Amino acid sequence: MAAQCGAAAQGTVLRVVKLDACGSPVTGASSAVVVTEGYTSIATEPQYEDGDQIRTKKANGRMCINRQGPNQYVNANVNIALCVLDPDASVIITGSRLLLASSVTGTGAAYGYNNPEAHFSLETWQSLTGPGQCDPVTGAQRYVYWAWPHVWNAKIGSFTIENGPLEMTAEAMTLFPSALWGDGPGTGTSWLPGPIDTTDYVDDFLWNITTTPPPTAPDVCGAFLLT
């Protein structure tokens, strides 16, 4: 069977899901999920430890041993740029304190000295374009699904209030994922053919071509419970 491939362009929605310190999705009344179109970019920078260089020279100056070890993957830095200020998204990503009003679940976020550690998973989707845009059998639109199953240690990037649009960024890094993340948080829909690998390869971030459409961003801001 031929592999699926295609060219991707633009983003659709972003989903962040609250995790515990071990990378497992939080369930029940304490869970939180935000789906939003209000982001401008997700930048990922994989980190590698350079392989050991073992070199020694003979007495005549020529190489006696010249060995280069393989580079080893460490983790990835992730930069999320948001153009919509969603208080619940900020709490999930940074652990900031949610500001509340009497009849509104969240009106703002406060960043301080004692904000707790925040762990979350990050997902986004891109539509395929060109010849590989649609499935040749079903005619369904294809998407590239991106997932970072365990992200933490976020910090707010610098931002400027000026005669122009406001954009806030969060700089975070990936961490070893939990087997309980499975094929993505929640029930009923998956964008992966099976659970992530946490035993042999230990998946850190991944992408997959799928015809399962991304979740729809709600008309209102804020988090909802994981189901």
Side-chain angles (χ1 to χ4, degrees), residues 8 51 56 68 75 81 110 113 115 124 138 140 144 146 162-163 178 181 199:
T56 186
Q68 172 69 52
N75 65 351
Y113 299 102
N115 288 155
T124 194
T138 65
V144 180
W146 292 90
E162 59 182 351
N163 182 24
S178 167
W181 197 84
T199 56

Side-chain angles (χ1 to χ4, degrees), residues 89-101:
S90 182
V91 170
I92 294 174
I93 294 171
T94 68
S96 54
R97 183 173 68 87
L98 186 66
L99 301 181
L100 301 170

Side-chain angles (χ1 to χ4, degrees), residues 14-90:
L14 169 153
R15 182 170 82 154
V16 290
V17 178
K18 181 181 178 181
L19 307 179
D20 64 21
C22 294
S24 303
V26 176
T27 58
S30 298
S31 66
V33 180
V34 167
V35 177
T36 179
E37 295 179 347
Y39 76 109
T40 57
S41 66
I42 298 173
T44 298
E45 185 180 4
Q47 304 295 303
Y48 290 85
E49 180 74 19
D50 291 341
D52 293 332
Q53 293 182 348
I54 303 174
R55 293 175 180 170
T56 186
K57 293 182 179 180
K58 302 174 185 177
N60 62 8
R62 295 181 179 179
M63 284 291 182
C64 179
I65 298 174
N66 184 8
R67 177 179 174 81
Q68 172 69 52
N71 297 333
Q72 297 187 59
Y73 181 82
V74 177
N75 65 351
N77 293 334
V78 183
N79 190 296
I80 307 165
L82 300 170
C83 59
V84 172
L85 300 182
D86 186 315
D88 286 334
S90 182

Side-chain angles (χ1 to χ4, degrees), residues 162-217:
E162 59 182 351
N163 182 24
L166 175 66
E167 183 175 86
M168 292 194 71
T169 61
E171 304 167 9
M173 61 181 62
T174 57
L175 191 62
F176 293 109
S178 167
L180 295 179
W181 197 84
D183 59 0
T187 59
T189 302
S190 177
W191 294 270
L192 293 175
I196 59 173
D197 191 332
T198 59
T199 56
D200 295 326
Y201 295 98
V202 189
D203 300 332
D204 193 54
F205 71 94
L206 50 94
W207 61 269
N208 185 56
I209 294 177
T210 177
T211 55
T212 303
T216 301

